[in-house]
Amino acid sequence: MTNFKAYLNHISLDCVIFGFHENQLKVLLLQMKYTKKWALPGGFVKKEESFEEAAERVLKERTGMDNIFLQQFHVFSDPKRSEMNPAVKDLEKSGSGEGLDWFSQRFISTGFYALVDFHKVDPAPDFFSDKCEWKALEEIDNLMMDHRQILDKALETLRLHLTYQPIGYNLLPKKFTMPELQKLYETILGKSLDRRNFQRKILSYKILNKLDERKKGGAYKAPYLYEFNLENYNKALKEGFSGSW
Amino acid sequence: MTNFKAYLNHISLDCVIFGFHENQLKVLLLQMKYTKKWALPGGFVKKEESFEEAAERVLKERTGMDNIFLQQFHVFSDPKRSEMNPAVKDLEKSGSGEGLDWFSQRFISTGFYALVDFHKVDPAPDFFSDKCEWKALEEIDNLMMDHRQILDKALETLRLHLTYQPIGYNLLPKKFTMPELQKLYETILGKSLDRRNFQRKILSYKILNKLDERKKGGAYKAPYLYEFNLENYNKALKEGFSGSW
DNA sequence: GGATAAAATGTCACACTGACACAATATTAG
DNA sequence: CTAATATTGTGTCAGTGTGACATTTTATCC
């Protein structure tokens, strides 16, 4: 309690930004300039910000978007996490930081996941990276530090939330088809679902409005379009789906 | 990124320690020396510790116990949280810290909840407090800073976990009765459940072993004793209860 | 030792679930 | 242009889980 330095930490956050495109769940990643490793968009928290505000700022910078659905899910605080991977050295090489003293401090990161409409995102690299791209889950490899672990935890949390919350409004365009919504659920859950049972169940939640339009131009029979019933959707977000007790 | 001080934060954690006693859910609280406000047991994170290790240390100090069931649930990072309540001044009065400079920094706290066997705890106050006591949920009042908010979030999380995880092994003695287990669920959920349906459901999870003993000495008909089937209990902890998809 | 209060067990109707069949329809291929 | 095709819309049925409630059993109470 007596020494300042003992409590000096680098407080950062990392965002797992999920988007849905071409029937695939994708994550927005940055490629680092020197090592070419991939990283989750993140940044340091300023002293006058809450973590949530900082996450909004990071998201705005990387995607150009405001008002994104954001959810804090875990703090990664292993004192060795910055050593776990030579990637910290990249930062050093890249000219940021103040030399060894800066890097000898520990790095603490809070994980957020974000759900966004793929088409509305305008990906922008940051100072340390030369690419900012969407990657489908299976394509993701060669992540820096413990970012694989952070990503996995985000997915795990998202799956869990799926069981008691509606999801989709932030990931899909305004109008969408039942097969699209199902595919979204399937990719998040990592398993396939029965088409007819899925429809019955999701409709029973009353969070969808069936439209009179059909989605033409696709292959074979044209599916109906749906939109979310925001009133019920938001109610469900707050109250959650039943829960088994 | 250029200024050290800009990234100086006080990294702490607060523990919501739940125990179950006399059919009530209780929380272990400290009473502060000067303001007499109540506080969750907490502490600063040392530089060489993960948050989990720091939480274990805090729990050991306050309860005398090791190997406690611990779960990180939220980070409280509002820059104003230390100002929100004059309680920070208490710390100042109490002689800790290095004066204004120290208190002008922000306080970030990660919330953990812990589940413990009430009878195994030996409550010990810390340097800033003169009491360390169990309080039933309804008795809790006059908490310092944002500790009420932290407590509420812990409860909310615990309730959620109840729907997809077994709970009880850490809160109840080795042998317990069905009415005791039900009362635990009822207090966590804050509502009463049908006795017969509860039993049917909890048994269907296969996490209990029915013993041949009965709990004598109570009032009227003696209930059977149960113990947890650790093998199935741990399996359920990992895999979770079904989930609706 | 009978009254009492709680525990153990059982029943029944209904909702939900998983597995699967068949009809309808827009596109595609010849 | 027409038939084949892949996909969507709708429906059924049996098995399981759920909520509501009645009856029997049993250790204490008086």
Side-chain angles (χ1 to χ4, degrees), chain B residues 60-90:
Chain B
K60 173 78 177 177
E61 286 168 6
R62 295 297 131 256
T63 68
M65 286 179 70
D66 286 312
N67 273 82
I68 285 178
F69 181 90
L70 255 179
Q71 188 84 36
Q72 187 194 116
F73 65 88
H74 198 77
V75 184
F76 299 87
S77 62
D78 186 334
K80 299 204 187 79
R81 65 182 290 274
S82 54
E83 302 166 19
M84 270 158 66
N85 191 302
V88 169
K89 302 294 178 206
D90 312 341

Side-chain angles (χ1 to χ4, degrees), chain A residues 48-141:
Chain A
E48 68 280 6
E49 297 174 315
S50 70
F51 285 18
E52 281 73 14
E53 287 162 353
E56 280 172 34
R57 176 173 52 77
V58 167
L59 258 64
K60 173 79 178 177
E61 287 168 6
R62 294 298 132 255
T63 68
M65 287 179 70
D66 286 311
N67 274 80
I68 285 179
F69 181 91
L70 254 179
Q71 188 84 38
Q72 186 195 115
F73 65 89
H74 198 78
V75 185
F76 300 86
S77 61
D78 185 335
K80 299 205 187 80
R81 66 182 287 275
S82 54
E83 303 166 18
M84 270 159 67
N85 192 302
V88 170
K89 302 295 178 207
D90 312 341
L91 280 169
E92 209 163 3
K93 282 184 212 150
S94 75
S96 70
E98 332 288 300
L100 270 182
D101 200 16
W102 198 77
F103 288 105
S104 70
Q105 303 305 322
R106 73 188 291 181
F107 289 76
I108 292 167
S109 182
T110 297
F112 282 80
Y113 76 80
L115 305 180
V116 301
D117 184 342
F118 182 91
H119 300 284
K120 291 186 181 160
V121 171
D122 178 26
D126 63 12
F127 180 76
F128 308 107
S129 53
D130 38 36
K131 276 191 203 169
C132 182
E133 281 180 10
W134 289 104
K135 288 274 192 181
L137 285 181
E138 310 78 38
E139 299 168 6
I140 297 173
D141 191 20

Side-chain angles (χ1 to χ4, degrees), chain A residues 1-11 44-53 71-79 96-98 101-102 104-106 108 110 128 153 160 162-165 185 189 191 193 197-198 201-202 205 241-245, chain B residues 1-11 44-53 71-79 96-98 101-102 104-106 108 110 128 153 160 162-165 185 189 191 193 197-198 201-202 205 241-245:
Chain A
M1 202 124 329
T2 24
N3 182 12
F4 258 155
K5 277 284 176 72
Y7 295 102
L8 183 57
N9 292 286
H10 296 301
I11 306 298
F44 291 98
V45 179
K46 294 182 183 170
K47 207 170 149 191
E48 68 280 6
E49 297 174 315
S50 70
F51 285 18
E52 281 73 14
E53 287 162 353
Q71 188 84 38
Q72 186 195 115
F73 65 89
H74 198 78
V75 185
F76 300 86
S77 61
D78 185 335
S96 70
E98 332 288 300
D101 200 16
W102 198 77
S104 70
Q105 303 305 322
R106 73 188 291 181
I108 292 167
T110 297
F128 308 107
K153 187 80 181 175
L160 224 158
L162 208 58
T163 66
Y164 66 94
Q165 279 191 351
Y185 271 72
L189 292 169
K191 67 179 178 190
L193 303 168
N197 296 336
F198 175 81
K201 183 153 189 174
I202 203 85
Y205 291 151
F241 295 139
S242 60
S244 108
W245 295 100
Chain B
M1 204 124 329
T2 24
N3 181 11
F4 257 155
K5 276 283 175 76
Y7 296 102
L8 182 55
N9 292 286
H10 296 302
I11 306 299
F44 291 98
V45 179
K46 295 183 181 170
K47 207 170 148 190
E48 69 279 7
E49 296 174 316
S50 70
F51 286 18
E52 282 73 16
E53 287 162 352
Q71 188 84 36
Q72 187 194 116
F73 65 88
H74 198 77
V75 184
F76 299 87
S77 62
D78 186 334
S96 71
E98 333 288 301
D101 200 18
W102 198 78
S104 70
Q105 304 304 322
R106 74 186 290 181
I108 291 167
T110 297
F128 308 106
K153 186 80 180 175
L160 224 159
L162 208 58
T163 67
Y164 66 93
Q165 278 191 353
Y185 271 72
L189 291 168
K191 68 178 177 190
L193 303 168
N197 296 336
F198 175 81
K201 183 154 187 170
I202 203 85
Y205 290 151
F241 295 138
S242 60
S244 111
W245 297 101

